[in-house]
Amino acid sequence: MQPNASPIHAAVAEDFAAVDRTVLAQLNSRVPLVETIGHYIIESGGKRLRPLLVLLSARALDYAGDKHITLATLIEFMHTSTLLHDDVVDESSLRRGRTTANENWGNAPSVLVGDFLYSRSFQMMVEVGSMHVMEVLSAATCTIAEGEVLQLTNVGNPDIDEAAYFDTIHGKTAMLFEAASHSGAILAGGSAEQQEALRLYGRYLGLAFQLIDDLLDYQGNADTMGKNVGDDLAEGKPTLPLIHAMREGSPEQAQLIRRAIRQGGLDRLDEVLAIVHATGALEYTRARAEEMAERALEQLDMLAPSRYRDTMAELARLAVDRQS
């Protein structure tokens, strides 16, 4: 685990090292397969943005205790459990350039270890000892689960509009970003205005992050992203590039994309990609991501100047300026 080597982790490098140690300690189980799969998914890379948000939010509000380490760890466990479950639901075989846990060990062990990580996160939530934090995180878990179910019910449905799309990505992605920055602010004892600002910062950052993810699905590659171009189309997911392309394209172009979403698979990928590019769908998606990042930046005006606030501003810029 080396995310703390990244420049965006430098401001909280010591905290992040403590999170790494706590992650390893909390993966302990009397069942060897739990530890094996837990270590595999935790150590498979990733930017660790959600625990980073906890640490930065708490430190930006001058938190001087140590419970932010436990809070950041449990947020990472919540996220990791959703990855295990998502890969089973999506029947994914590749994540971050490595085979998924379900590909290696099967669906049942992956789901059950995901359950273990979720349960362990709630144990740690009790250790944090804040009823307000528990309220925020328990509500977030329900919203996240609803977002995942909503995405599942939207698969193969070309009639999803932009508002429904944003509702889905708020639940499945942005909610945990929001809960991370919000709970960090609560733990630090920030004012009501600061807590709300950091809640919204996390929400908008998460939305920007997911918008770029969905954009990259139509212009990235497996080497940089750890998944293949067109994976969303293959799964029949109506993401914003396709929604925009159907809205702005000709009736014939819209109909082709509608059929591709309904059928799933990659038989029409080249044609869909051509329409996505011709209709400016990627530029539109990037513009919406930049709008979300700008909204996130505006929330930071509620914080006093610090290297932690500077790093949070840099995160908002990096969310839209990345290739993976």
Side-chain angles (χ1 to χ4, degrees), residues 162 165-166 204 207-216 219 240-241 244 247 279-296 316 319-321:
E162 190 166 323
Y165 164 80
F166 271 95
Y204 293 132
L207 291 173
F209 191 85
Q210 186 60 52
L211 282 160
I212 294 298
D213 258 14
D214 291 346
L215 179 156
L216 290 174
Q219 71 175 30
L240 189 58
H244 179 84
R247 187 172 60 212
T279 55
L282 299 185
E283 292 81 0
Y284 178 78
T285 302
R286 181 171 293 280
R288 293 307 312 270
E290 290 172 350
E291 177 190 339
M292 295 302 121
E294 188 58 38
R295 290 187 188 182
V320 295
D321 186 23

Side-chain angles (χ1 to χ4, degrees), residues 52-69:
L52 177 60
L53 287 181
V54 173
L55 302 177
L56 290 171
S57 297
R59 291 300 194 189
L61 294 173
D62 299 321
Y63 181 69
D66 60 6
K67 290 185 178 179
H68 65 315
I69 304 301

Side-chain angles (χ1 to χ4, degrees), residues 35 41 68 102 128 131 150 185 192-193 215 221 270 275 302:
E35 292 190 0
I41 186 70
H68 65 315
N102 50 295
V128 171
M131 184 59 71
L150 193 57
E193 293 78 13
L215 179 156
N221 61 68
D270 290 343
I275 297 169
M302 289 298 300

Side-chain angles (χ1 to χ4, degrees), residues 115-157:
D115 292 345
F116 169 83
L117 293 176
Y118 242 138
S119 301
R120 183 53 56 87
S121 73
F122 274 84
Q123 286 183 316
M124 287 186 278
M125 211 179 293
V126 173
E127 290 178 29
V128 171
S130 165
M131 184 59 71
H132 193 180
V133 167
M134 291 182 70
E135 289 172 355
V136 166
L137 295 184
S138 58
T141 61
C142 291
T143 301
I144 293 164
E146 288 173 337
E148 294 293 348
V149 175
L150 193 57
Q151 178 177 262
L152 185 62
T153 60
N154 290 343
V155 166
N157 181 4

Side-chain angles (χ1 to χ4, degrees), residues 252-265:
E252 294 77 17
Q253 289 173 323
Q255 189 58 36
L256 187 149
I257 292 177
R258 290 176 66 86
R259 284 197 299 269
I261 291 172
R262 284 199 186 101
Q263 295 168 359

Side-chain angles (χ1 to χ4, degrees), residues 82-95 100 102-103 107 110-111 147-156 168 172-173 210 213-214 217 227 230-239 265:
T82 64
L83 298 185
L84 284 164
H85 290 161
D86 287 354
D87 286 341
V88 171
V89 171
D90 295 339
E91 300 180 1
S92 300
S93 60
L94 190 69
R95 177 178 289 279
T100 55
N102 50 295
E103 183 75 7
N107 288 341
S110 295
V111 169
E148 294 293 348
V149 175
L150 193 57
Q151 178 177 262
L152 185 62
T153 60
N154 290 343
V155 166
T168 300
K172 72 178 289 287
T173 299
Q210 186 60 52
D213 258 14
D214 291 346
D217 193 67
K227 66 175 189 175
D231 276 357
D232 287 346
L233 179 65
E235 295 167 13
K237 292 179 180 178
T239 57

Side-chain angles (χ1 to χ4, degrees), residues 182-214:
H182 191 194
S183 60
I186 293 167
L187 185 67
S191 68
E193 293 78 13
Q194 289 171 325
Q195 290 179 26
E196 177 65 5
L198 284 175
R199 182 184 73 82
L200 291 175
Y201 167 83
R203 170 181 288 199
Y204 293 132
L205 180 68
L207 291 173
F209 191 85
Q210 186 60 52
L211 282 160
I212 294 298
D213 258 14
D214 291 346

